[in-house]
Amino acid sequence: MTNTKEIYKEICFVFARLGLFAFGGPAAHIAMMEDELVTKREWLKKTEFMDLLGFTNLIPGPNSTELAIALGYKRGGKIGLFLAGICFIFPAMTIVLLLAMFYKQYGEVPLIEALFSGIKPVILAVIIQALFRLGQTTIKDSKSLLLFLAAYLLSLMGVGEIMILILTGLTMLLTQQLSKWRSRHLAIEPMSLTLLFLTFLKIGSVLYGSGYVLLAFLQAEFIDRYAALTSTQLLDAVAIGQFTPGPVFTTATFVGYLIQGVPGALLATVGIFLPSFLLILLLHPLFNKLRSSKIFAGILDGITVASLALMASVSWQLGTATFVSWFSVLIFAVSFIGLIRFKVNSSYLIIMGGFIGWLVTMF
């Protein structure tokens, strides 16, 4: 019994610390987990770690958070699953909630506007850099390129994100099967708490790809469909999600607070992360079969292409709202070069952007 309690304490300590200090997005989170749990603590072998990573890439939701949940499950069973996930999410959620309160109270103060005016171009550079990096592995052939372009055009035409993901995934599966046979998707009226929760529950249930794909869903749901946010508020929410440690999906905490205060923040957070807990709990015993399934892998290939196209579509929309001055263009260029050429951590660039935005406003 003592050993079990010690395991639970260790899980809480490790993932709370990761949730507090894991800056830099999903890739950084995964690298820190591998270093801490495989190399230092030897919870599991590297091959086992990669198997879990592959499994989380096959299901919808925030990959690095799902990996934390799966690692907690492997270390401490069902209780470990919930401890790891909650401890990884809670520090980031708390920080984002406090910043949301500050933003809602003082968001119109010139200092806050100045900070975000410098941060927004950095965020756009991070997204563009992710597009290039992911595109190198996602757009593998002419078939993938055509699906990418089709999904991008559908997004610009206003087709829903979920529909685009489903259509592209099924199309990729059908083309793969065919190839084998031949060769032998301004706050005006606040949303209700129920609708807010259900909207984030839907997003958490169907979102594939990196945290950046979340942008497309937020744009479609909270700006285009319900008019519950402005474009500026969405950009600021993304900036907070990038700047703070832990899961990028705690952007939901910020959005929920802007719409319905503290209850909205809590329900939005629960809604977007709950599917990840349930998926890992239900599918973890079957992940080896899922990983080797040719049908599921084929659908996933198409979904990955569609996710990239949605990111490209949102990047265009964010670009039009970001490039409003000469220094925003300059910050974007410097950030993009820093990310691509010198591999600078995005958190440092965000701090730099906020500082420059403040300097330009002051002088």
Side-chain angles (χ1 to χ4, degrees):
M1 190 67 179
T2 303
N3 290 335
T4 301
K5 289 183 178 179
E6 290 300 319
I7 288 173
Y8 293 158
K9 288 180 181 178
E10 185 183 24
I11 290 173
C12 290
F13 173 77
V14 168
F15 286 102
R17 190 174 68 177
L18 284 169
L20 192 59
F21 295 106
F23 287 90
H29 303 164
I30 292 167
M32 292 177 70
M33 289 179 199
E34 191 276 333
D35 181 62
E36 181 71 26
L37 304 181
V38 178
T39 304
K40 293 180 180 177
R41 296 180 180 270
E42 298 182 347
W43 280 14
L44 69 171
K45 298 177 181 178
K46 184 153 188 168
T47 53
E48 295 174 318
F49 182 87
M50 294 305 296
D51 281 342
L52 289 179
L53 179 59
F55 166 55
T56 57
N57 282 326
L58 287 174
I59 57 178
N63 290 343
S64 61
T65 304
E66 289 174 337
L67 180 59
I69 294 170
L71 288 166
Y73 191 8
K74 187 171 184 62
R75 182 64 173 172
K78 294 179 180 178
I79 295 178
L81 175 151
F82 287 103
L83 290 176
I86 292 170
C87 289
F88 185 58
I89 295 167
F90 185 76
M93 183 202 74
T94 303
I95 294 170
V96 171
L97 179 57
L98 292 174
L99 289 174
M101 293 175 177
F102 184 81
Y103 173 85
K104 195 167 185 179
Q105 183 70 28
Y106 303 106
E108 299 302 319
V109 175
L111 174 60
I112 303 300
E113 292 181 341
L115 290 173
F116 280 118
S117 70
I119 289 174
K120 290 171 188 175
V122 180
I123 298 302
L124 185 60
V126 171
I127 296 170
I128 298 297
Q129 182 252 0
L131 274 172
F132 275 98
R133 187 180 64 246
L134 294 173
Q136 293 175 355
T137 55
T138 302
I139 310 300
K140 298 173 286 190
D141 48 32
S142 59
K143 177 175 59 180
S144 299
L145 178 60
L146 288 173
L147 281 176
F148 167 80
L149 293 174
Y152 179 71
L153 290 174
L154 287 174
S155 177
L156 293 182
M157 292 166 59
V159 178
E161 281 73 24
I162 298 175
M163 181 60 67
I164 292 175
L165 290 171
I166 293 173
L167 288 175
T168 314
L170 292 176
T171 301
M172 178 65 83
L173 174 63
L174 290 174
T175 56
Q176 287 182 351
Q177 295 301 315
L178 182 60
S179 296
K180 290 179 181 179
W181 179 78
R182 286 176 177 174
S183 59
R184 119 125 163 123
H185 198 291
L186 174 69
I188 299 173
E189 291 292 334
M191 301 170 65
S192 69
L193 286 171
T194 301
L195 180 58
L196 182 68
F197 172 76
L198 292 176
T199 300
F200 275 110
L201 184 68
K202 178 178 70 175
I203 293 173
S205 299
V206 301
L207 196 156
Y208 274 89
S210 70
Y212 306 118
V213 184
L214 176 64
L215 292 172
F217 285 83
L218 295 177
Q219 170 81 30
E221 297 290 342
F222 296 101
I223 295 180
D224 299 338
R225 182 167 300 165
Y226 297 113
L229 292 177
T230 65
S231 295
T232 298
Q233 288 174 324
L234 175 59
L235 284 167
D236 293 344
V238 173
I240 290 293
Q242 284 294 319
F243 180 76
T244 52
V248 175
F249 276 38
T250 49
T251 299
T253 306
F254 192 93
V255 171
Y257 183 81
L258 293 185
I259 297 173
Q260 281 286 5
V262 174
L266 297 177
L267 282 175
T269 306
V270 172
I272 201 166
F273 285 111
L274 182 60
S276 296
F277 286 91
L278 296 178
L279 284 168
I280 297 295
L281 181 64
L282 295 173
L283 297 179
H284 186 276
L286 304 174
F287 87 90
N288 282 323
K289 292 182 180 179
L290 283 173
R291 187 170 179 269
S292 61
S293 169
K294 294 181 180 179
I295 292 178
F296 199 88
I299 294 175
L300 183 64
D301 285 343
I303 288 174
T304 304
V305 172
S307 298
L308 197 67
L310 292 174
M311 289 172 59
S313 175
V314 171
S315 298
W316 174 263
Q317 298 174 33
L318 294 180
T320 59
T322 298
F323 296 137
V324 295
S325 63
W326 64 267
F327 84 88
S328 63
V329 177
L330 180 61
I331 293 174
F332 169 81
V334 171
S335 300
F336 188 70
I337 293 172
L339 289 165
I340 296 294
R341 179 68 179 84
F342 300 103
K343 313 297 182 185
V344 180
N345 188 295
S346 61
S347 299
Y348 300 144
L349 293 173
I350 290 171
I351 294 172
M352 174 206 73
F355 181 68
I356 293 176
W358 175 77
L359 282 180
V360 170
T361 302
M362 290 295 294
F363 301 103

